[in-house]
Amino acid sequence: MTGIRNARRKLETLVAAGLAAACLSIALPAQAFLARPTLFAAVGAATKAPSGWQQFCIENADECRPGADQARDVVLTPELLQQLYEVNKYVNDRVTWTSDDALYGNAERWTLPLDRGDCEDIVLLKRKLLAKAGWPQGSLLITTVEEFGPAKGRHAVLTVRSDRGEMILDNQTPEILFWYETKYRYLSRQSAADPNVWVAFGTEQPKPPTLLADR
């Protein structure tokens, strides 16, 4: 029990440090970002939640309960955009990607990381930090994707919903992109109404009229 308490204290310290880093930000040129097309991904029917999420919720029930503000929309401001950049960078820098097999001898285990973890763990920590900072849980959706190219494989990212569309926080890049700017095929994600309900993405996705010149 002492080991568990110490781990929880370390995690609480990590969360506090992450929020402090998010507050120590300088203004980014956000207007060009906010001017990008507003477009929401098409999702379809409910699908089975990943086994890692189910196991995580057994061990961390408080992290999996729908929030009172679950479906509240976020009005994206330059300040909130900067907070996303800071939290994304903080976690990406803090947590060294390490496979579940190397850490736990298990092919799939989702958990909140301290300094090592895989893509799902990194997403969970970003979700926790942003929720602590006041983002509604329904705007922070764990998302499974498939990568294209020679390194094709499954991956997890965090979708952040706002009135300006859906942004992707990814441990593979410090850049924040709208979902339609990434090179992923989207598979499933949490419902904005309930984190324990997962929905599949539609096979046909909307496209913006044009992608801006900076992409």
Side-chain angles (χ1 to χ4, degrees):
M1 291 297 293
T2 301
I4 294 175
R5 285 196 296 269
N6 288 339
R8 286 178 176 170
R9 279 196 291 269
K10 289 180 180 178
L11 180 59
E12 289 170 359
T13 301
L14 174 62
V15 169
L19 293 180
C23 293
L24 295 174
S25 60
I26 59 174
L28 283 178
Q31 295 309 314
F33 184 95
L34 296 175
R36 293 176 185 175
T38 300
L39 194 63
F40 292 88
V43 293
T47 190
K48 185 178 179 181
S51 60
W53 172 257
Q54 296 174 359
Q55 163 265 317
F56 175 77
C57 290
I58 292 172
E59 299 175 356
N60 302 272
D62 290 345
E63 299 287 336
C64 303
R65 295 190 180 98
D69 59 354
Q70 185 72 33
R72 180 169 66 83
D73 290 334
V74 173
V75 177
L76 188 63
T77 64
E79 292 75 21
L80 288 177
L81 178 60
Q82 176 66 19
Q83 190 174 68
L84 292 181
Y85 273 101
E86 293 291 338
V87 169
N88 191 55
K89 182 179 187 304
Y90 176 79
V91 177
N92 287 356
D93 290 347
R94 171 81 187 196
V95 181
T96 300
W97 189 94
T98 311
S99 71
D100 288 336
D101 189 58
L103 282 174
Y104 311 111
N106 189 326
E108 187 70 2
R109 178 176 172 79
W110 294 24
T111 189
L112 285 162
L114 294 174
D115 56 4
R116 293 188 297 162
D118 67 0
C119 57
E120 292 92 358
D121 304 337
I122 292 168
V123 166
L124 286 168
L125 183 54
K126 291 176 184 177
R127 177 177 180 265
K128 185 176 183 69
L129 286 172
L130 290 169
K132 286 281 188 182
W135 289 74
Q137 189 173 243
S139 69
L140 308 171
L141 310 176
I142 302 172
T143 303
T144 65
V145 300
E146 186 175 60
E147 300 175 278
F148 293 112
K152 180 178 178 179
R154 297 293 178 95
H155 183 47
V157 296
L158 183 66
T159 296
V160 180
R161 283 177 55 92
S162 76
D163 65 325
R164 298 299 307 156
E166 296 155 328
M167 296 159 288
I168 300 300
L169 275 61
D170 190 347
N171 67 290
Q172 297 187 359
T173 176
E175 193 173 2
I176 293 177
L177 302 173
F178 285 107
W179 68 272
Y180 56 80
E181 297 177 304
T182 72
K183 296 182 179 179
Y184 294 132
R185 183 169 76 89
Y186 288 82
L187 303 176
S188 68
R189 78 178 185 201
Q190 293 171 303
S191 162
D194 186 335
N196 299 301
V197 175
W198 287 66
V199 292
F201 283 85
T203 54
E204 296 294 329
Q205 290 295 333
K207 300 292 183 184
T210 57
L211 291 179
L212 299 185
D214 63 348
R215 290 295 304 157

